[in-house]
Amino acid sequence: HVSRFDFAKCTTGKPIRFFAVINGGHTWPGVDRLPRDLAGPVNMDINLGREMWEFLKTQTLTEPLIP
């Protein structure tokens, strides 16, 4: 299973979302394309790409990525 942790009051003032994948392999949750014997078990409880987008689309950049 997957546990999600949201932290709103970090020292930077920006929110953080952390996912803990229990008993997952070295894989991308929600995408079952790699051979399991190479990367381990795939967790299909969430789609990590979708979860990342749902979080990131609510954020704004306050400074340039490259100075």
Side-chain angles (χ1 to χ4, degrees):
H1 74 277
V2 178
S3 296
R4 184 177 107 180
F5 303 90
D6 290 304
F7 303 95
K9 298 184 179 191
C10 297
T11 57
T12 63
K14 300 288 184 185
I16 293 175
R17 181 165 292 162
F18 176 79
F19 291 93
V21 179
I22 311 305
N23 294 324
H26 191 75
T27 60
W28 191 269
V31 178
D32 192 10
R33 293 191 181 151
L34 293 174
R36 291 175 185 261
D37 57 333
L38 291 178
V42 178
N43 183 289
M44 298 300 287
D45 293 344
I46 64 170
N47 180 305
L48 186 58
R50 187 175 305 125
E51 294 289 341
M52 288 174 59
W53 174 244
E54 290 301 317
F55 177 77
L56 291 173
K57 75 180 184 180
T58 67
Q59 306 303 307
T60 57
L61 290 175
T62 56
E63 53 191 63
L65 291 175
I66 300 173

Tab-separated table of all heavy atoms in Angstrom:
chain	number	residue	atom	x	y	z
A	1	HIS	N	0.825	-1.175	0.000
A	1	HIS	CA	0.000	0.000	0.000
A	1	HIS	C	0.872	1.241	0.000
A	1	HIS	O	2.081	1.163	0.149
A	1	HIS	CB	-0.988	-0.022	1.168
A	1	HIS	CG	-0.384	0.259	2.497
A	1	HIS	ND1	0.239	-0.711	3.249
A	1	HIS	CD2	-0.287	1.405	3.192
A	1	HIS	CE1	0.683	-0.153	4.364
A	1	HIS	NE2	0.381	1.116	4.352
A	2	VAL	N	0.248	2.389	-0.152
A	2	VAL	CA	0.945	3.667	-0.197
A	2	VAL	C	0.398	4.556	0.902
A	2	VAL	O	-0.810	4.683	1.074
A	2	VAL	CB	0.750	4.362	-1.565
A	2	VAL	CG1	1.429	5.710	-1.589
A	2	VAL	CG2	1.262	3.489	-2.689
A	3	SER	N	1.306	5.184	1.634
A	3	SER	CA	0.910	6.183	2.632
A	3	SER	C	1.347	7.548	2.132
A	3	SER	O	2.458	7.702	1.617
A	3	SER	CB	1.569	5.896	3.982
A	3	SER	OG	1.118	4.676	4.508
A	4	ARG	N	0.471	8.542	2.262
A	4	ARG	CA	0.787	9.900	1.828
A	4	ARG	C	0.888	10.793	3.044
A	4	ARG	O	0.058	10.747	3.941
A	4	ARG	CB	-0.303	10.418	0.899
A	4	ARG	CG	0.002	11.776	0.325
A	4	ARG	CD	-1.064	12.202	-0.626
A	4	ARG	NE	-1.853	13.238	0.002
A	4	ARG	CZ	-2.880	13.843	-0.567
A	4	ARG	NH1	-3.258	13.495	-1.769
A	4	ARG	NH2	-3.542	14.768	0.066
A	5	PHE	N	1.921	11.638	3.049
A	5	PHE	CA	2.145	12.577	4.137
A	5	PHE	C	2.239	13.977	3.544
A	5	PHE	O	3.028	14.216	2.633
A	5	PHE	CB	3.435	12.248	4.892
A	5	PHE	CG	3.458	10.848	5.444
A	5	PHE	CD1	3.965	9.804	4.687
A	5	PHE	CD2	2.958	10.579	6.704
A	5	PHE	CE1	3.989	8.509	5.183
A	5	PHE	CE2	2.973	9.290	7.206
A	5	PHE	CZ	3.493	8.265	6.449
A	6	ASP	N	1.430	14.901	4.047
A	6	ASP	CA	1.460	16.288	3.595
A	6	ASP	C	1.999	17.161	4.717
A	6	ASP	O	1.537	17.066	5.864
A	6	ASP	CB	0.054	16.756	3.207
A	6	ASP	CG	-0.433	16.081	1.945
A	6	ASP	OD1	0.264	16.178	0.922
A	6	ASP	OD2	-1.509	15.455	1.979
A	7	PHE	N	2.963	18.005	4.377
A	7	PHE	CA	3.546	18.932	5.333
A	7	PHE	C	3.347	20.339	4.798
A	7	PHE	O	3.832	20.677	3.725
A	7	PHE	CB	5.040	18.642	5.516
A	7	PHE	CG	5.314	17.229	5.942
A	7	PHE	CD1	5.622	16.257	5.000
A	7	PHE	CD2	5.254	16.862	7.270
A	7	PHE	CE1	5.875	14.951	5.377
A	7	PHE	CE2	5.502	15.550	7.666
A	7	PHE	CZ	5.813	14.605	6.717
A	8	ALA	N	2.626	21.166	5.534
A	8	ALA	CA	2.286	22.498	5.045
A	8	ALA	C	3.209	23.584	5.587
A	8	ALA	O	3.415	24.600	4.943
A	8	ALA	CB	0.834	22.825	5.404
A	9	LYS	N	3.742	23.416	6.759
A	9	LYS	CA	4.511	24.489	7.385
A	9	LYS	C	5.991	24.132	7.475
A	9	LYS	O	6.545	23.935	8.546
A	9	LYS	CB	3.945	24.798	8.763
A	9	LYS	CG	2.514	25.290	8.683
A	9	LYS	CD	1.979	25.691	10.011
A	9	LYS	CE	0.553	26.177	9.813
A	9	LYS	NZ	0.017	26.816	10.963
A	10	CYS	N	6.637	24.086	6.322
A	10	CYS	CA	8.061	23.776	6.275
A	10	CYS	C	8.859	25.069	6.423
A	10	CYS	O	8.321	26.163	6.292
A	10	CYS	CB	8.394	23.099	4.952
A	10	CYS	SG	7.533	21.537	4.783
A	11	THR	N	10.143	24.958	6.652
A	11	THR	CA	10.979	26.143	6.852
A	11	THR	C	11.024	27.038	5.626
A	11	THR	O	11.230	28.239	5.743
A	11	THR	CB	12.414	25.742	7.252
A	11	THR	OG1	12.948	24.888	6.254
A	11	THR	CG2	12.422	25.031	8.589
A	12	THR	N	10.818	26.474	4.439
A	12	THR	CA	10.816	27.274	3.210
A	12	THR	C	9.469	27.952	2.973
A	12	THR	O	9.361	28.807	2.103
A	12	THR	CB	11.131	26.400	1.993
A	12	THR	OG1	10.094	25.427	1.853
A	12	THR	CG2	12.470	25.725	2.120
A	13	GLY	N	8.456	27.544	3.715
A	13	GLY	CA	7.116	28.063	3.489
A	13	GLY	C	6.378	27.358	2.369
A	13	GLY	O	5.240	27.686	2.069
A	14	LYS	N	7.016	26.408	1.729
A	14	LYS	CA	6.400	25.656	0.633
A	14	LYS	C	5.888	24.318	1.154
A	14	LYS	O	6.490	23.721	2.038
A	14	LYS	CB	7.409	25.390	-0.487
A	14	LYS	CG	7.989	26.629	-1.098
A	14	LYS	CD	6.964	27.317	-1.939
A	14	LYS	CE	7.581	28.517	-2.632
A	14	LYS	NZ	6.607	29.276	-3.366
A	15	PRO	N	4.780	23.823	0.597
A	15	PRO	CA	4.272	22.520	1.024
A	15	PRO	C	5.122	21.379	0.477
A	15	PRO	O	5.770	21.512	-0.557
A	15	PRO	CB	2.862	22.480	0.449
A	15	PRO	CG	2.935	23.366	-0.749
A	15	PRO	CD	3.916	24.451	-0.398
A	16	ILE	N	5.111	20.285	1.189
A	16	ILE	CA	5.801	19.067	0.754
A	16	ILE	C	4.812	17.919	0.828
A	16	ILE	O	4.039	17.818	1.783
A	16	ILE	CB	7.018	18.752	1.652
A	16	ILE	CG1	8.084	19.828	1.473
A	16	ILE	CG2	7.587	17.375	1.329
A	16	ILE	CD1	9.261	19.669	2.395
A	17	ARG	N	4.816	17.065	-0.190
A	17	ARG	CA	4.001	15.854	-0.191
A	17	ARG	C	4.949	14.675	-0.357
A	17	ARG	O	5.760	14.633	-1.271
A	17	ARG	CB	2.990	15.893	-1.320
A	17	ARG	CG	2.100	14.653	-1.340
A	17	ARG	CD	0.885	14.847	-2.199
A	17	ARG	NE	0.024	15.829	-1.568
A	17	ARG	CZ	-0.949	16.486	-2.205
A	17	ARG	NH1	-1.176	16.249	-3.469
A	17	ARG	NH2	-1.680	17.359	-1.562
A	18	PHE	N	4.846	13.726	0.545
A	18	PHE	CA	5.733	12.566	0.567
A	18	PHE	C	4.893	11.306	0.457
A	18	PHE	O	3.889	11.168	1.157
A	18	PHE	CB	6.532	12.562	1.876
A	18	PHE	CG	7.405	11.363	2.057
A	18	PHE	CD1	8.623	11.267	1.406
A	18	PHE	CD2	7.021	10.326	2.881
A	18	PHE	CE1	9.432	10.159	1.567
A	18	PHE	CE2	7.818	9.211	3.060
A	18	PHE	CZ	9.028	9.130	2.404
A	19	PHE	N	5.295	10.395	-0.432
A	19	PHE	CA	4.633	9.111	-0.578
A	19	PHE	C	5.577	8.015	-0.115
A	19	PHE	O	6.723	7.958	-0.556
A	19	PHE	CB	4.250	8.837	-2.042
A	19	PHE	CG	3.157	9.710	-2.560
A	19	PHE	CD1	3.447	10.897	-3.215
A	19	PHE	CD2	1.838	9.351	-2.391
A	19	PHE	CE1	2.439	11.707	-3.697
A	19	PHE	CE2	0.822	10.146	-2.867
A	19	PHE	CZ	1.119	11.334	-3.516
A	20	ALA	N	5.112	7.159	0.756
A	20	ALA	CA	5.865	5.984	1.192
A	20	ALA	C	5.200	4.768	0.567
A	20	ALA	O	4.039	4.473	0.852
A	20	ALA	CB	5.874	5.871	2.707
A	21	VAL	N	5.921	4.098	-0.311
A	21	VAL	CA	5.401	2.905	-0.977
A	21	VAL	C	5.903	1.696	-0.190
A	21	VAL	O	7.099	1.439	-0.122
A	21	VAL	CB	5.871	2.838	-2.445
A	21	VAL	CG1	5.349	1.578	-3.115
A	21	VAL	CG2	5.426	4.083	-3.191
A	22	ILE	N	4.979	0.986	0.401
A	22	ILE	CA	5.303	-0.163	1.238
A	22	ILE	C	5.460	-1.399	0.355
A	22	ILE	O	4.575	-1.731	-0.431
A	22	ILE	CB	4.204	-0.395	2.300
A	22	ILE	CG1	3.860	0.899	3.033
A	22	ILE	CG2	4.607	-1.501	3.260
A	22	ILE	CD1	5.012	1.622	3.684
A	23	ASN	N	6.597	-2.069	0.468
A	23	ASN	CA	6.909	-3.287	-0.285
A	23	ASN	C	6.899	-3.087	-1.796
A	23	ASN	O	6.555	-3.984	-2.548
A	23	ASN	CB	5.960	-4.435	0.087
A	23	ASN	CG	6.150	-4.866	1.521
A	23	ASN	OD1	7.268	-4.866	2.027
A	23	ASN	ND2	5.065	-5.202	2.189
A	24	GLY	N	7.286	-1.895	-2.252
A	24	GLY	CA	7.413	-1.653	-3.680
A	24	GLY	C	8.845	-1.900	-4.110
A	24	GLY	O	9.766	-1.876	-3.302
A	25	GLY	N	9.032	-2.143	-5.385
A	25	GLY	CA	10.366	-2.333	-5.919
A	25	GLY	C	10.940	-1.004	-6.385
A	25	GLY	O	10.445	0.069	-6.034
A	26	HIS	N	11.972	-1.076	-7.193
A	26	HIS	CA	12.579	0.118	-7.769
A	26	HIS	C	11.825	0.412	-9.064
A	26	HIS	O	12.313	0.179	-10.176
A	26	HIS	CB	14.066	-0.125	-8.024
A	26	HIS	CG	14.802	1.122	-8.375
A	26	HIS	ND1	15.132	2.072	-7.458
A	26	HIS	CD2	15.262	1.574	-9.564
A	26	HIS	CE1	15.774	3.058	-8.052
A	26	HIS	NE2	15.859	2.782	-9.344
A	27	THR	N	10.589	0.872	-8.909
A	27	THR	CA	9.671	1.044	-10.036
A	27	THR	C	8.942	2.370	-9.911
A	27	THR	O	9.077	3.081	-8.918
A	27	THR	CB	8.631	-0.086	-10.070
A	27	THR	OG1	7.885	-0.052	-8.846
A	27	THR	CG2	9.294	-1.448	-10.224
A	28	TRP	N	8.141	2.694	-10.895
A	28	TRP	CA	7.307	3.895	-10.914
A	28	TRP	C	5.878	3.452	-10.601
A	28	TRP	O	5.250	2.764	-11.417
A	28	TRP	CB	7.374	4.532	-12.298
A	28	TRP	CG	6.771	5.893	-12.361
A	28	TRP	CD1	5.478	6.197	-12.673
A	28	TRP	CD2	7.424	7.131	-12.122
A	28	TRP	NE1	5.281	7.543	-12.638
A	28	TRP	CE2	6.474	8.151	-12.301
A	28	TRP	CE3	8.723	7.482	-11.768
A	28	TRP	CZ2	6.772	9.495	-12.145
A	28	TRP	CZ3	9.018	8.822	-11.617
A	28	TRP	CH2	8.053	9.807	-11.807
A	29	PRO	N	5.347	3.811	-9.421
A	29	PRO	CA	3.995	3.368	-9.062
A	29	PRO	C	2.955	3.741	-10.109
A	29	PRO	O	2.921	4.875	-10.592
A	29	PRO	CB	3.727	4.092	-7.743
A	29	PRO	CG	5.086	4.260	-7.144
A	29	PRO	CD	5.974	4.553	-8.321
A	30	GLY	N	2.151	2.769	-10.478
A	30	GLY	CA	1.076	2.976	-11.440
A	30	GLY	C	1.432	2.603	-12.860
A	30	GLY	O	0.586	2.654	-13.739
A	31	VAL	N	2.696	2.230	-13.119
A	31	VAL	CA	3.130	1.856	-14.459
A	31	VAL	C	3.790	0.485	-14.380
A	31	VAL	O	4.843	0.333	-13.787
A	31	VAL	CB	4.118	2.884	-15.055
A	31	VAL	CG1	4.578	2.441	-16.433
A	31	VAL	CG2	3.487	4.260	-15.111
A	32	ASP	N	3.152	-0.500	-14.966
A	32	ASP	CA	3.636	-1.876	-14.886
A	32	ASP	C	4.217	-2.285	-16.235
A	32	ASP	O	3.623	-3.055	-16.971
A	32	ASP	CB	2.496	-2.802	-14.474
A	32	ASP	CG	2.990	-4.183	-14.084
A	32	ASP	OD1	4.212	-4.366	-13.955
A	32	ASP	OD2	2.152	-5.069	-13.904
A	33	ARG	N	5.389	-1.728	-16.584
A	33	ARG	CA	5.984	-2.016	-17.892
A	33	ARG	C	7.317	-2.738	-17.809
A	33	ARG	O	7.721	-3.362	-18.760
A	33	ARG	CB	6.169	-0.717	-18.679
A	33	ARG	CG	4.853	-0.098	-19.053
A	33	ARG	CD	5.027	1.008	-20.033
A	33	ARG	NE	3.728	1.580	-20.339
A	33	ARG	CZ	3.525	2.817	-20.686
A	33	ARG	NH1	4.532	3.636	-20.815
A	33	ARG	NH2	2.322	3.251	-20.936
A	34	LEU	N	8.027	-2.602	-16.697
A	34	LEU	CA	9.325	-3.264	-16.572
A	34	LEU	C	9.140	-4.698	-16.123
A	34	LEU	O	8.219	-5.011	-15.377
A	34	LEU	CB	10.199	-2.524	-15.547
A	34	LEU	CG	10.639	-1.124	-15.920
A	34	LEU	CD1	11.369	-0.483	-14.745
A	34	LEU	CD2	11.534	-1.145	-17.139
A	35	PRO	N	10.033	-5.569	-16.554
A	35	PRO	CA	9.969	-6.953	-16.044
A	35	PRO	C	10.148	-6.966	-14.528
A	35	PRO	O	11.070	-6.351	-14.003
A	35	PRO	CB	11.147	-7.635	-16.746
A	35	PRO	CG	11.505	-6.759	-17.889
A	35	PRO	CD	11.099	-5.368	-17.513
A	36	ARG	N	9.256	-7.612	-13.829
A	36	ARG	CA	9.290	-7.622	-12.362
A	36	ARG	C	10.574	-8.218	-11.803
A	36	ARG	O	11.028	-7.836	-10.747
A	36	ARG	CB	8.087	-8.371	-11.811
A	36	ARG	CG	6.797	-7.626	-12.043
A	36	ARG	CD	5.597	-8.453	-11.589
A	36	ARG	NE	4.380	-7.759	-11.942
A	36	ARG	CZ	3.686	-7.029	-11.089
A	36	ARG	NH1	4.080	-6.897	-9.860
A	36	ARG	NH2	2.584	-6.435	-11.479
A	37	ASP	N	11.182	-9.162	-12.523
A	37	ASP	CA	12.404	-9.773	-12.007
A	37	ASP	C	13.583	-8.793	-12.034
A	37	ASP	O	14.558	-8.977	-11.328
A	37	ASP	CB	12.748	-11.055	-12.760
A	37	ASP	CG	12.899	-10.846	-14.255
A	37	ASP	OD1	12.283	-9.914	-14.800
A	37	ASP	OD2	13.641	-11.626	-14.873
A	38	LEU	N	13.495	-7.725	-12.821
A	38	LEU	CA	14.559	-6.719	-12.868
A	38	LEU	C	14.367	-5.612	-11.832
A	38	LEU	O	15.331	-5.150	-11.243
A	38	LEU	CB	14.622	-6.069	-14.253
A	38	LEU	CG	15.099	-6.938	-15.392
A	38	LEU	CD1	15.040	-6.155	-16.698
A	38	LEU	CD2	16.522	-7.412	-15.137
A	39	ALA	N	13.149	-5.173	-11.653
A	39	ALA	CA	12.902	-3.980	-10.849
A	39	ALA	C	12.116	-4.246	-9.573
A	39	ALA	O	11.955	-3.350	-8.765
A	39	ALA	CB	12.175	-2.942	-11.703
A	40	GLY	N	11.599	-5.426	-9.387
A	40	GLY	CA	10.814	-5.717	-8.192
A	40	GLY	C	9.339	-5.464	-8.413
A	40	GLY	O	8.899	-5.138	-9.515
A	41	PRO	N	8.547	-5.600	-7.353
A	41	PRO	CA	7.098	-5.432	-7.476
A	41	PRO	C	6.698	-3.994	-7.802
A	41	PRO	O	7.363	-3.057	-7.403
A	41	PRO	CB	6.570	-5.847	-6.099
A	41	PRO	CG	7.729	-5.734	-5.180
A	41	PRO	CD	8.958	-5.931	-5.997
A	42	VAL	N	5.618	-3.864	-8.563
A	42	VAL	CA	5.086	-2.558	-8.938
A	42	VAL	C	3.835	-2.299	-8.120
A	42	VAL	O	2.921	-3.114	-8.095
A	42	VAL	CB	4.740	-2.497	-10.437
A	42	VAL	CG1	4.148	-1.150	-10.799
A	42	VAL	CG2	5.969	-2.790	-11.272
A	43	ASN	N	3.788	-1.152	-7.456
A	43	ASN	CA	2.604	-0.777	-6.701
A	43	ASN	C	1.626	-0.086	-7.638
A	43	ASN	O	1.979	0.893	-8.294
A	43	ASN	CB	2.978	0.153	-5.550
A	43	ASN	CG	1.783	0.495	-4.702
A	43	ASN	OD1	0.922	1.235	-5.134
A	43	ASN	ND2	1.738	-0.058	-3.516
A	44	MET	N	0.405	-0.601	-7.714
A	44	MET	CA	-0.607	-0.036	-8.595
A	44	MET	C	-1.695	0.708	-7.816
A	44	MET	O	-2.734	1.029	-8.367
A	44	MET	CB	-1.221	-1.147	-9.449
A	44	MET	CG	-0.218	-1.856	-10.362
A	44	MET	SD	0.589	-0.781	-11.547
A	44	MET	CE	-0.752	-0.497	-12.688
A	45	ASP	N	-1.447	1.011	-6.539
A	45	ASP	CA	-2.436	1.730	-5.734
A	45	ASP	C	-2.583	3.188	-6.162
A	45	ASP	O	-3.641	3.787	-5.960
A	45	ASP	CB	-2.067	1.681	-4.249
A	45	ASP	CG	-2.165	0.282	-3.675
A	45	ASP	OD1	-2.797	-0.587	-4.310
A	45	ASP	OD2	-1.609	0.047	-2.596
A	46	ILE	N	-1.508	3.768	-6.709
A	46	ILE	CA	-1.559	5.144	-7.199
A	46	ILE	C	-0.883	5.204	-8.549
A	46	ILE	O	-0.133	4.311	-8.933
A	46	ILE	CB	-0.865	6.143	-6.246
A	46	ILE	CG1	0.636	5.847	-6.140
A	46	ILE	CG2	-1.543	6.178	-4.890
A	46	ILE	CD1	1.446	6.911	-5.427
A	47	ASN	N	-1.127	6.280	-9.291
A	47	ASN	CA	-0.383	6.604	-10.499
A	47	ASN	C	0.492	7.786	-10.126
A	47	ASN	O	-0.002	8.903	-9.941
A	47	ASN	CB	-1.330	6.958	-11.636
A	47	ASN	CG	-0.575	7.296	-12.905
A	47	ASN	OD1	0.291	8.160	-12.915
A	47	ASN	ND2	-0.925	6.605	-13.979
A	48	LEU	N	1.796	7.551	-9.966
A	48	LEU	CA	2.680	8.592	-9.459
A	48	LEU	C	2.736	9.811	-10.365
A	48	LEU	O	2.771	10.942	-9.888
A	48	LEU	CB	4.081	8.037	-9.233
A	48	LEU	CG	5.062	9.001	-8.579
A	48	LEU	CD1	4.545	9.484	-7.234
A	48	LEU	CD2	6.419	8.349	-8.434
A	49	GLY	N	2.718	9.610	-11.673
A	49	GLY	CA	2.719	10.748	-12.592
A	49	GLY	C	1.522	11.656	-12.371
A	49	GLY	O	1.644	12.879	-12.333
A	50	ARG	N	0.345	11.065	-12.208
A	50	ARG	CA	-0.867	11.842	-11.959
A	50	ARG	C	-0.790	12.555	-10.615
A	50	ARG	O	-1.151	13.727	-10.489
A	50	ARG	CB	-2.090	10.929	-12.000
A	50	ARG	CG	-3.400	11.681	-11.920
A	50	ARG	CD	-4.611	10.768	-12.094
A	50	ARG	NE	-4.515	10.012	-13.329
A	50	ARG	CZ	-4.591	8.676	-13.408
A	50	ARG	NH1	-4.795	7.956	-12.333
A	50	ARG	NH2	-4.484	8.058	-14.558
A	51	GLU	N	-0.305	11.858	-9.587
A	51	GLU	CA	-0.171	12.461	-8.256
A	51	GLU	C	0.795	13.641	-8.280
A	51	GLU	O	0.541	14.673	-7.656
A	51	GLU	CB	0.300	11.429	-7.238
A	51	GLU	CG	-0.686	10.311	-6.969
A	51	GLU	CD	-1.909	10.766	-6.196
A	51	GLU	OE1	-1.874	11.837	-5.554
A	51	GLU	OE2	-2.915	10.049	-6.230
A	52	MET	N	1.906	13.488	-9.002
A	52	MET	CA	2.871	14.586	-9.099
A	52	MET	C	2.244	15.798	-9.774
A	52	MET	O	2.406	16.929	-9.319
A	52	MET	CB	4.111	14.128	-9.871
A	52	MET	CG	4.981	13.174	-9.107
A	52	MET	SD	6.338	12.504	-10.084
A	52	MET	CE	7.219	13.970	-10.559
A	53	TRP	N	1.535	15.569	-10.872
A	53	TRP	CA	0.919	16.681	-11.588
A	53	TRP	C	-0.136	17.379	-10.724
A	53	TRP	O	-0.192	18.606	-10.682
A	53	TRP	CB	0.310	16.228	-12.906
A	53	TRP	CG	-0.437	17.341	-13.578
A	53	TRP	CD1	-1.767	17.397	-13.833
A	53	TRP	CD2	0.108	18.581	-14.038
A	53	TRP	NE1	-2.087	18.587	-14.420
A	53	TRP	CE2	-0.946	19.337	-14.554
A	53	TRP	CE3	1.385	19.123	-14.043
A	53	TRP	CZ2	-0.775	20.610	-15.093
A	53	TRP	CZ3	1.568	20.396	-14.581
A	53	TRP	CH2	0.498	21.117	-15.100
A	54	GLU	N	-0.958	16.622	-10.024
A	54	GLU	CA	-1.987	17.224	-9.171
A	54	GLU	C	-1.364	18.125	-8.106
A	54	GLU	O	-1.927	19.156	-7.762
A	54	GLU	CB	-2.848	16.142	-8.515
A	54	GLU	CG	-3.762	15.419	-9.478
A	54	GLU	CD	-4.733	16.363	-10.185
A	54	GLU	OE1	-5.306	17.253	-9.533
A	54	GLU	OE2	-4.901	16.205	-11.418
A	55	PHE	N	-0.203	17.750	-7.594
A	55	PHE	CA	0.489	18.584	-6.613
A	55	PHE	C	1.165	19.780	-7.282
A	55	PHE	O	0.986	20.927	-6.876
A	55	PHE	CB	1.526	17.752	-5.852
A	55	PHE	CG	2.339	18.553	-4.879
A	55	PHE	CD1	1.801	18.936	-3.661
A	55	PHE	CD2	3.641	18.919	-5.180
A	55	PHE	CE1	2.538	19.680	-2.764
A	55	PHE	CE2	4.390	19.660	-4.287
A	55	PHE	CZ	3.843	20.048	-3.071
A	56	LEU	N	1.939	19.530	-8.336
A	56	LEU	CA	2.739	20.588	-8.948
A	56	LEU	C	1.898	21.657	-9.643
A	56	LEU	O	2.298	22.821	-9.675
A	56	LEU	CB	3.739	19.988	-9.931
A	56	LEU	CG	4.858	19.177	-9.285
A	56	LEU	CD1	5.694	18.484	-10.350
A	56	LEU	CD2	5.729	20.051	-8.395
A	57	LYS	N	0.737	21.296	-10.173
A	57	LYS	CA	-0.064	22.304	-10.872
A	57	LYS	C	-0.622	23.361	-9.922
A	57	LYS	O	-1.057	24.416	-10.367
A	57	LYS	CB	-1.179	21.648	-11.689
A	57	LYS	CG	-2.339	21.132	-10.893
A	57	LYS	CD	-3.372	20.517	-11.823
A	57	LYS	CE	-4.592	20.078	-11.063
A	57	LYS	NZ	-5.591	19.473	-11.956
A	58	THR	N	-0.565	23.119	-8.633
A	58	THR	CA	-1.036	24.107	-7.658
A	58	THR	C	0.081	25.022	-7.179
A	58	THR	O	-0.167	25.960	-6.430
A	58	THR	CB	-1.657	23.418	-6.427
A	58	THR	OG1	-0.632	22.711	-5.718
A	58	THR	CG2	-2.766	22.471	-6.825
A	59	GLN	N	1.322	24.765	-7.617
A	59	GLN	CA	2.477	25.521	-7.148
A	59	GLN	C	2.892	26.575	-8.174
A	59	GLN	O	2.600	26.455	-9.354
A	59	GLN	CB	3.657	24.582	-6.869
A	59	GLN	CG	3.329	23.444	-5.930
A	59	GLN	CD	2.799	23.936	-4.601
A	59	GLN	OE1	3.412	24.765	-3.948
A	59	GLN	NE2	1.652	23.422	-4.201
A	60	THR	N	3.576	27.608	-7.699
A	60	THR	CA	4.127	28.632	-8.584
A	60	THR	C	5.606	28.806	-8.278
A	60	THR	O	6.041	28.609	-7.141
A	60	THR	CB	3.412	29.985	-8.410
A	60	THR	OG1	3.514	30.370	-7.044
A	60	THR	CG2	1.948	29.894	-8.798
A	61	LEU	N	6.356	29.188	-9.304
A	61	LEU	CA	7.776	29.481	-9.121
A	61	LEU	C	7.916	30.917	-8.631
A	61	LEU	O	7.318	31.831	-9.188
A	61	LEU	CB	8.535	29.320	-10.438
A	61	LEU	CG	8.703	27.904	-10.955
A	61	LEU	CD1	9.366	27.914	-12.323
A	61	LEU	CD2	9.538	27.084	-9.987
A	62	THR	N	8.709	31.108	-7.604
A	62	THR	CA	8.934	32.456	-7.086
A	62	THR	C	10.307	32.983	-7.474
A	62	THR	O	10.591	34.150	-7.289
A	62	THR	CB	8.789	32.482	-5.560
A	62	THR	OG1	9.690	31.533	-4.995
A	62	THR	CG2	7.365	32.145	-5.148
A	63	GLU	N	11.151	32.099	-8.016
A	63	GLU	CA	12.471	32.514	-8.493
A	63	GLU	C	12.819	31.642	-9.689
A	63	GLU	O	12.275	30.554	-9.863
A	63	GLU	CB	13.502	32.378	-7.383
A	63	GLU	CG	13.538	31.014	-6.727
A	63	GLU	CD	14.396	31.013	-5.455
A	63	GLU	OE1	14.053	31.710	-4.510
A	63	GLU	OE2	15.399	30.309	-5.478
A	64	PRO	N	13.733	32.118	-10.523
A	64	PRO	CA	14.064	31.352	-11.734
A	64	PRO	C	14.718	30.012	-11.396
A	64	PRO	O	15.378	29.866	-10.379
A	64	PRO	CB	15.059	32.256	-12.473
A	64	PRO	CG	15.437	33.338	-11.539
A	64	PRO	CD	14.464	33.360	-10.417
A	65	LEU	N	14.488	29.046	-12.281
A	65	LEU	CA	15.109	27.727	-12.097
A	65	LEU	C	16.613	27.795	-12.288
A	65	LEU	O	17.368	27.128	-11.619
A	65	LEU	CB	14.511	26.721	-13.089
A	65	LEU	CG	13.060	26.334	-12.849
A	65	LEU	CD1	12.574	25.439	-13.966
A	65	LEU	CD2	12.896	25.658	-11.513
A	66	ILE	N	17.053	28.605	-13.251
A	66	ILE	CA	18.477	28.772	-13.527
A	66	ILE	C	18.826	30.242	-13.305
A	66	ILE	O	18.259	31.119	-13.966
A	66	ILE	CB	18.804	28.361	-14.980
A	66	ILE	CG1	18.418	26.892	-15.191
A	66	ILE	CG2	20.280	28.583	-15.273
A	66	ILE	CD1	18.541	26.436	-16.623
A	67	PRO	N	19.719	30.508	-12.360
A	67	PRO	CA	20.078	31.926	-12.089
A	67	PRO	C	20.798	32.584	-13.250
A	67	PRO	O	21.353	32.010	-14.084
A	67	PRO	CB	20.993	31.841	-10.873
A	67	PRO	CG	21.240	30.413	-10.593
A	67	PRO	CD	20.411	29.583	-11.530
